Each structure stands twice: as C-alpha cells, then as structure tokens.
Amino acid sequence: MRQIVKPFLLLLALSSILFSCTKDEATVALPVTAITVSNLPADTVLGINAVTGMPFSAGKYTFYSLEKNAIVPNTDSASTKWDLAFAGSKILTNGGTSGIGLGGAFIYTGLFDDVKTISNDSVFKTDNAPASFAVTFGSGKGWYVYDQLTSLITPLAGRVLVIRTASGKYAKVEIINYYKGGVTLPITASDSDKLSKQRYYTFRYAYQPNGSKTF
Amino acid sequence: MHLASGNGRLMIGGIRFDQNQTYASAWSPKASMLYKINKQHRIRLSIGQGFKAPDFRQLYLNFTNAAAGSYSVFGTAQAQKVIGQLNSLGQIGTLYNNYYQLKALQPEYATGTHLTWEFEPNAKSFYSFQLFRNDIRNLIEVQQVGAYVTGAQIYSYLNIGRAFTTGLEIEAKHQLTKQFSISAAYQYLETGDKDQLAQIKNGTVYTRDANGLSRKLNVSEYVGLPNNSSHKAQLKFNYSNQNGLFGNIRALYRSKWAVNNTNGNEVYDAGDSFAKGYVALHLSIGKDYTNGIGFQFGCDNMLNYIDALNLPNLPGRTFFATLKIQKSKKI
C-alpha cells in the first residue's frame, strides 16, 4: 500500500507547482521601476518686496505628468495631461476643485518599498479647496514639518503619497527634499539662502501604467 | 524620621506634603540608607519621589509674538477660555485634538534611585561612585494646540511624557601637598522618552539614509532628550597657602548634545543637528589680607570657545578683576 501512496503524493505535489507557476506568469505585471526627479522648481521665491518686506514669487504652479515624467506647460492646466501640481509646500492632484481629471491621493505612513499593493479599502481623498487637499497641507499634518526656529522645511521620513493620476491610474511618491541641490540647508544658512534655495523638489516615484493597484 | 540603626546601618525616612490652590497637591516620600562597612567604605542608597510644580509661565502666560509670525502661547489656566473667546470672534482656524485635552497641569513627578559607594582610603583622598536612575511622569511639554485663521500657531502646555534619566557619576579628590589639591568629576548620562522608545521598537519611527530615502530608525541611533550631553567632566587644580594667596584652574568638558530635530521625524537621533562638544578653561588667582581687603583676578574661557547659536551664555575669553573691602566690628 505504501509503495502506491508515495508516487501519488509526489505527482500531486508536482502538479500543484506546475499549476501555480503558470497562474503567476499570467497575472504578474512587469515590475515598476522608481524614477527620481531632482530640483523641480515649485513657485520659487523671486525676491523681497521693498515696501512690505515680504518675499514674493510668480504665484504659479508647476504641473507635472507622472506618466510622461515631464513638466506640463501652465497653458494645459485645465487638462488631464498633468497629475501633480507644486507651489511652495502645496501639492495638488488633478481632481476635485483642482482639475478635471480623476486625481486623488492619501498619505501612507511607512516605507516606499512597503507600498506593494494599494488595498481596496484605501480611501482616496480629492482636493476641496480651500478647506482640504488630498495631499494634506500644513506643518506636521502631511508630508513635511516646518520649524519656526530655523525657518526650514523638512520632509517627514516614512511618508508615501499614494496618488491616483488624472487618468485614474496609480502611483506612489516619496518627497526626498525641498531645497535646491537636494540637500536641506544648514540651520546657520543666511535668511536670503533659506528663501531663494527653497521650493525645489527632489522626489522619487513609481507609476503603474497598466491601471492595477500593484507596484 | 529615624527608623533603625546599629551595626553601622542607618535608615532615614521622610515624607513631604505640598498643597497649592492652583495645581494638585503632592506627596513626596523619601527613604535613604547609609551602611558603613568600615572606616574607609560607605554605601548609601536613597529612593525618593520628588515633584516640580508648574511654573507661572506654564499656567498664566498670554503671549503673542508679533515679530515672528504672530504665534501665541497661552498658559493652561486660561488657554481654553482665551481660545474659546477668540473662536467666538471667528479668529480660530483649527483646533487640534490636544486642545480638548487641556486641563489643570499636574506637577511633574520624578522617582529617583541613587546608589553610592564612598571610599576614603586616607585623610587626603576621597572617591565616590554613584549609579542613578530617575523616572519622570507627567513631563510638562509645550505643544501646538491649534492655529489662527491666518495659519499662525497657538501653543499651550500639556502633561504628556514618560521620561527617564540614568547614568553614573564618579568623583575624586586628593590633597597633593599642604597647598595643592586636585579634584575630578565625571558623569555619564542616558536620557529618553519611554513612549518614543516604544515606537522605535515597534518600527513606526523613520529616518533617512545617505541618499535621503526613508528607512526605519534603529534604537541604537536614538539619543533621548535634547540638550543633554552623554559625557561631562570637570578637572580642578587648587592652590591656597597660609598667607591668603589662592589660585585655581578649572577645565570643564561637555560632549555634543542634540539641539534641533532636522531629519524629518519627531525624535532626536544620530541624524539630527548637534552642538559640538567643548572644553572651557577658567583661571583665577587672588589674595586675601587679614585686614579684610582682598583682590582677585583671572580669566574665564581662556581657550576662547564660542558657539553663539547654542551657548549664548558663554561669552568669549573674559578677563576680570575684583577688589573687596570688608570691615567688621568685634562684638
């Protein structure tokens, strides 16, 4: 009896391995590689108003396409060509009050590499200006902290912006730095450096073009 | 309260009760024990609870800094009333969850245990080794509790933390000759916030690697509470003779300490910004005369160590001279 059972079990085991192999190959998409974007200007400070003493900028967003990995001209702001828009520490998604796309986002606490699949019960928020934004705005509330004492903005470690793009696809973004050259200025830097070298984003992202929620 | 003695053992216990109209009352019990092993060795053990009452600022401050973004700080005794009034005037933008937790501040409680071994080999030398541990409950901390419509922050004070300080202290004194003596002291200190340590162990605190990418923080990178140095040391040479001439030279060392949280998490760790460790050298020489006149001169911070950002109270090299005249009538 034993002699018959053993080969039968082996056959069963083999067939299950074969079966699972073919199934995996059919559904697993190509791995998504992370792309790093450096020194993306986001409404940088142009100077200081001689009368009010306040810094001023052009007051314009920088629109970005995660699909194309490129800046989108401001003339296309009312289109679905862009996925994220940056101005100062504010980040918009192309949806809700900000755009005509399907865009939305939420902030995940954890590591970039740990966001492998967006679970189906995850809730994407949409922009609802001026009350709330999908990428929460404000020190300590979203992706950064602002230190009153040093006037420096530091992106919080362990925060991933999970993005639904204008066309309804998915991406994950980690903001790495907010200063020109990708290095936060020292506390002792001059006030003029702290103003002129801020608002330059360095971030990495992974974009899933096939529409699935898996990276 | 003298509890027991005999065979070189002595136990002392005590308790203190403080009552105040503004903050809660507090009991401070303390027990200490002295055990004389022989003429040269003594062991001391003390366990006690102390408390620090909230100060005036933490209770009653009503301060708005118009020069720096118009943020406000309100003491807890009035915070909810003042913020409530501002809210009814439509000036409050957001109130955080901790605003609703504002209540009468409790005193900070510290439970301390100190174990000391004193060694006196002869009349000229003295050594002491101490281990200590303090656990602090209800640490009073300033926190943002909301924001104005303009975005300016509103701060108040809350009892939150569970902190600890632990370490060791070594002290040595030696009389070299009749005129010269030398003394040295060293302290090793570890501090920490127990809640933060638990979060780090759970893997929910992050930091950044050399490329700026997030990773989990290791417990070994945690430096504890800010403004505390791990190592502190003092070395002092002393001279005094029968004619009233005296002089001393003191070297004080302090190792680096965390000052700002700069790497994007809420805990102080190896990746944050530190003030550099330093040595300050002070010298003074003087003479006292029997007729009540005395003079002294010297130099503080001889090495001219300056760190204006982190040590505003340490000016550069400072020379000083003092003259004193003392008149006393014999009764």
Side-chain angles (χ1 to χ4, degrees), chain A residues 98-141:
Chain A
S98 298
I100 60 167
L102 300 167
F106 68 90
I107 296 174
Y108 170 83
T109 300
L111 298 178
F112 186 79
D113 291 339
D114 290 347
V115 183
K116 294 190 173 87
T117 301
I118 305 166
S119 68
N120 282 324
D121 54 7
S122 294
V123 178
F124 281 83
K125 295 196 293 173
T126 51
D127 289 356
N128 182 25
S132 69
F133 294 89
V135 178
T136 322
F137 177 65
S139 175
K141 295 182 199 165

Side-chain angles (χ1 to χ4, degrees), chain A residues 12 19 28 85 90 156 158 180 198:
Chain A
L12 194 70
F19 179 72
V28 165
K90 205 178 250 184
L156 286 162
K180 199 173 188 174
Q198 66 169 332

Side-chain angles (χ1 to χ4, degrees), chain A residues 109-111 114 139 141 143 145-150 152 154-159 174-176 184 187-188 204, chain B residues 68 71 94 96 153 155 204 206-208 211-216 259-266 273 309:
Chain A
T109 300
L111 298 178
D114 290 347
S139 175
K141 295 182 199 165
W143 62 269
V145 280
Y146 172 69
D147 189 332
Q148 285 270 330
L149 213 64
T150 63
L152 291 172
T154 311
L156 286 162
R159 297 291 187 281
E174 180 183 10
I175 311 289
I176 297 170
T184 303
I187 295 163
T188 49
R204 65 166 167 167
Chain B
Y71 70 87
T94 39
Y96 295 167
Q153 297 90 333
Y155 298 92
T204 56
Y206 303 91
T207 186
R208 291 180 184 276
N211 299 317
L213 307 179
S214 297
R215 64 168 175 82
K216 282 178 182 168
V259 281
N260 281 95
N261 206 334
T262 49
N263 69 345
N265 58 30
E266 280 108 41
S273 83
L309 196 67

